[in-house]
Amino acid sequence: MDGNQVVDYQEDMIDPEELENAAYNFVQFYRDGGEMHERTGVATLVESVILTEEKQIAMGLQAGTLPVGWWVGFKVTDDDVWQKVKDGEYSMFSIGGTAVREEVEAEE
């Protein structure tokens, strides 16, 4: 990895190595998909890959072709939730989790 931090939708940042560790932990111990961070058991993780520059090269891709990050696929098992996805009511996806928030100083 190039060491650049990943910035999410809420502008939270995570070092690529920490993202990789968190993703492996999620895949190994959880894999459950929920609805709006309130109800669990509506989807199951079926695909997961951490895209690092090293892995891109190993797959025969030019480094940097894809952003460093975590790509996931979930099978939605709840018919009502799946209908909301198809209707566009649920247009984004969020992985719930816990972390220790640390303030960082902005670079000037």
Side-chain angles (χ1 to χ4, degrees), residues 8-10 34-37 72 74 76 81-82 84-95:
D8 73 6
Y9 190 71
Q10 289 84 20
E35 181 180 16
M36 304 301 291
H37 300 279
V72 295
F74 276 80
V76 178
V81 171
W82 183 238
K84 291 174 183 177
V85 171
K86 292 191 307 185
D87 290 345
E89 183 176 342
Y90 291 161
S91 61
M92 296 184 180
F93 186 80
S94 174
I95 297 288

Side-chain angles (χ1 to χ4, degrees), residues 88-107:
E89 183 176 342
Y90 291 161
S91 61
M92 296 184 180
F93 186 80
S94 174
I95 297 288
T98 59
V100 175
R101 184 176 295 273
E102 296 178 7
E103 293 293 326
V104 295
E105 295 181 23
E107 293 183 22

